[in-house]
Amino acid sequence: MTAQDCLFCKIVAGDIPSTIVYEDEKIIAIKDIQPVAPVHLLIMPRKHIISLNEVDEKDINLLGHIQLIAASLARENNIAANGYRLLCNNGAGGGQEVLHLHYHLLGGRNLEWPPG
Ligand code: 5GP
Ligand code: ZN
């Protein structure tokens, strides 16, 4: 899949509507269209990276930035105190459906372990 065909690149570009809850020059965070928890956000880089299989040292700042913003969004959404989950599905076997790196921020209910 090329960036031109990528659903999340289209969301980043504003060609497909989404509810953006945070954005800066590096990343955006949107509400998941089919939430599986009371808080379900997707945090993604603006640039097209397929998965963690494609990252290298030049992406360290980007990946660290995503985690700091995730923690800040957890506080803003009042899920920090009870607890939340930040996860990144990688590849078909990891449950990744949209091939543009993204992190799920889930909270607002007690999450089970192990995942399915
Ligand atoms: P994955 O399985 O790739 O880790 O997660 C993809 C996520 O993207 C799913 O939770 C799915 O509900 C969400 N999603 C798919 N299409 C759209 C869309 O058009 N808009 C938004 N906001 N979320 C989407
Ligand atoms: Zn993309």
Side-chain angles (χ1 to χ4, degrees):
M1 180 190 284
T2 66
Q4 284 78 24
D5 308 320
C6 172
L7 173 67
F8 284 174
C9 280
K10 289 178 182 157
I11 284 179
V12 165
D15 295 339
I16 290 178
S18 67
T19 305
I20 297 175
V21 296
Y22 175 85
E23 61 182 324
D24 63 31
E25 73 282 358
K26 291 195 200 76
I27 66 174
I28 72 167
I30 63 173
K31 289 191 176 180
D32 196 291
I33 204 166
Q34 282 188 296
V36 299
V39 176
H40 187 173
L41 304 180
L42 301 173
I43 308 168
M44 66 189 74
R46 286 186 182 275
K47 74 169 176 176
H48 184 74
I49 300 173
I50 296 172
S51 75
L52 287 176
N53 288 338
E54 277 72 43
V55 303
D56 60 29
E57 278 77 7
K58 74 177 179 319
D59 300 308
I60 285 173
N61 281 343
L62 173 67
L63 298 175
H65 183 59
I66 286 173
Q67 295 208 43
L68 289 181
I69 295 302
S72 153
L73 286 169
R75 286 189 291 273
E76 259 177 44
N77 284 273
N78 300 312
I79 58 173
N82 186 58
Y84 59 92
R85 188 170 295 163
L86 181 67
L87 69 92
C88 178
N89 297 324
N90 287 274
Q96 185 179 13
E97 290 182 352
V98 179
L99 298 182
H100 178 127
L101 181 70
H102 56 279
Y103 288 74
H104 297 253
L105 177 63
L106 297 166
R109 66 173 171 84
N110 289 331
L111 301 163
E112 292 172 7
W113 193 263

